[in-house]
Amino acid sequence: LNEGWTTWLQRRIMNRIEKVAHNMDLDAISGALALKKDIKLLSKDMTKLVLELDDADPDESYSRVPYEKGFHLIYSLERMVGQDTFLELVKAYLAKYAYGTITSYEFKVFCIDFWKDTNS
């Protein structure tokens, strides 16, 4: 999900700088179109958000897929709970995992626990 967080943050920053009214919806649409193109070019195994590379070369899996799929997951969560609530999660996430790494499964558990504990 690192690539998704990077894309989400970059788009969030640019929307604030440019003071756009559409939030990130136009960025999401253009990203989805790019994702659709990449998915047509790649094997099904290389279009998963969580890749199973085993002994494969990670460089062979480079595409926009993890950036856009990750972004759309994160942006969907933000839209589902609202921006203010989501930003609370982001702060808690950064406080807990700064300078570290977690798996996609651990991120899922973190989100569920966070929203369960905050009754959001």
Side-chain angles (χ1 to χ4, degrees):
L1 288 174
N2 287 342
E3 294 87 352
W5 278 114
T6 300
T7 304
W8 176 83
L9 184 59
Q10 179 243 336
R11 289 176 179 168
R12 174 68 56 218
I13 290 169
M14 292 308 298
N15 276 258
R16 290 254 171 104
I17 290 171
E18 295 170 356
K19 298 179 178 143
V20 295
H22 62 74
N23 202 354
M24 292 194 287
D25 293 339
L26 294 179
D27 297 320
I29 292 167
S30 67
L33 294 173
L35 175 62
K36 198 173 186 179
K37 288 179 185 176
D38 271 13
I39 286 175
K40 286 181 183 178
L41 299 173
L42 298 168
S43 70
K44 187 175 180 180
D45 289 343
M46 292 297 171
T47 63
K48 298 176 185 177
L49 182 55
V50 180
L51 295 176
E52 297 169 14
L53 292 175
D54 298 319
D55 293 330
D57 181 357
D59 290 338
E60 295 298 319
S61 69
Y62 179 77
S63 72
R64 288 181 283 209
V65 171
Y67 293 88
E68 291 303 330
K69 278 193 172 184
F71 164 79
H72 282 278
L73 170 66
I74 292 165
Y75 190 48
S76 294
L77 291 172
E78 178 182 7
R79 292 186 59 129
M80 184 173 64
V81 300
Q83 187 177 40
D84 293 339
T85 301
F86 186 74
L87 290 177
E88 290 175 23
L89 174 119
V90 171
K91 289 176 190 175
Y93 172 78
L94 291 173
K96 184 169 184 174
Y97 296 109
Y99 310 109
T101 59
I102 64 171
T103 65
S104 296
Y105 177 77
E106 290 168 321
F107 176 70
K108 175 183 170 183
V109 170
F110 175 80
C111 290
I112 291 168
D113 290 345
F114 178 82
W115 283 317
K116 183 173 51 176
D117 292 343
T118 59
N119 296 318
S120 297

